[in-house]
Amino acid sequence: MKLLAIGAVALASFVATAASAQTAGPANVGPAIPGVCVYFNQQLLAQSTVGQSVQARMQQLAGEVEGELTPYATTIQTEAQALQSGAAAIPADQLQARRQQLQQRIQEAQQLEETRRNELQYTLSEQRRLISAGVEPILVAVYQEKGCGILIDRESVFIMNPAMDVTGDVIARLNTALPSLSFNRLPVPVQPAQ
């Protein structure tokens, strides 16, 4: 059973974000192109105070979920070992009943794990949505102030002149405007039946 893989699922993108945001460009770059600006959202998520606070809180929530699921895994493992080692001594009807109960507990644990994984993923997506809402007006203001004619996503650019990157300015302003988010694990909204 694959219990407790939730932390990796919920935080994989933040870990990848932190790693990818640490890229450094070459020493010799071409000239800055007037009116062309570049923005790296992954760097903002990894380096802004709000992005770091979301990452830290998501790790706490994943730890809470792990603490909730661990007793299920322990109980299931203990019961499975007891059934395996004592199968010869247990009457057939009782053995069958205990196996069915164990299977039911396994299914309940898997359902709970899936529910918690979905809640963590939804919680993370909602926090990112809130960060995006906070970044948008800042990005528009920086775009206008820098005289950008086009704003390119850094993930679409292989090498660039760092003078064209507005990410640092956006992070600095976001750190002031939205230093952190407070949140708990969110239930996934029920989708209406079609």
Side-chain angles (χ1 to χ4, degrees):
M1 185 165 38
K2 60 168 193 135
L3 283 175
L4 310 178
I6 291 173
V9 171
L11 300 174
S13 58
F14 261 111
V15 171
T17 295
S20 66
Q22 303 301 321
T23 59
N28 296 328
V29 294
I33 302 169
V36 176
C37 300
V38 179
Y39 169 69
F40 193 15
N41 193 60
Q42 299 301 324
Q43 181 181 352
L44 177 124
L45 291 174
Q47 295 178 356
S48 67
T49 56
V50 70
Q52 292 172 358
S53 77
V54 167
Q55 179 181 4
R57 181 64 179 140
M58 288 303 300
Q59 289 173 339
Q60 289 174 346
L61 292 175
E64 290 172 10
V65 168
E66 184 176 334
E68 181 182 7
L69 295 175
T70 298
Y72 282 90
T74 303
T75 302
I76 289 168
Q77 185 178 15
T78 301
E79 179 64 11
Q81 289 172 346
L83 287 177
Q84 187 175 16
S85 63
I90 302 171
D93 58 335
Q94 289 179 9
L95 183 63
Q96 182 61 24
R98 285 178 65 181
R99 284 183 177 156
Q100 287 175 346
Q101 289 172 348
L102 178 61
Q103 185 59 38
Q104 183 178 352
R105 277 190 227 127
I106 291 170
Q107 289 172 348
E108 289 169 0
Q110 288 172 335
Q111 270 186 322
L112 180 61
E113 179 184 24
E114 182 178 350
T115 298
R116 296 299 182 252
R117 181 177 54 247
N118 291 339
E119 288 172 350
L120 288 174
Q121 289 172 341
Y122 178 71
T123 301
L124 180 59
S125 70
E126 281 300 295
Q127 302 321 302
R128 285 189 169 171
R129 184 186 62 74
L130 292 171
I131 292 171
S132 292
V135 166
E136 187 175 336
I138 295 169
L139 197 52
V140 169
V142 169
Y143 174 89
Q144 292 170 344
E145 290 167 16
K146 297 281 186 179
C148 302
I150 186 170
L151 182 64
I152 301 173
D153 181 356
R154 174 64 177 98
E155 291 187 23
S156 302
V157 177
F158 184 66
I159 299 174
M160 63 167 195
N161 184 316
M164 298 174 359
D165 190 349
V166 299
T167 309
D169 294 331
V170 176
I171 290 172
R173 292 184 190 189
L174 183 64
N175 287 346
T176 301
L178 185 66
S180 67
L181 291 171
S182 296
F183 59 95
N184 290 311
R185 191 177 67 234
L186 301 172
V188 178
V190 178
Q191 299 296 322
Q194 296 185 13

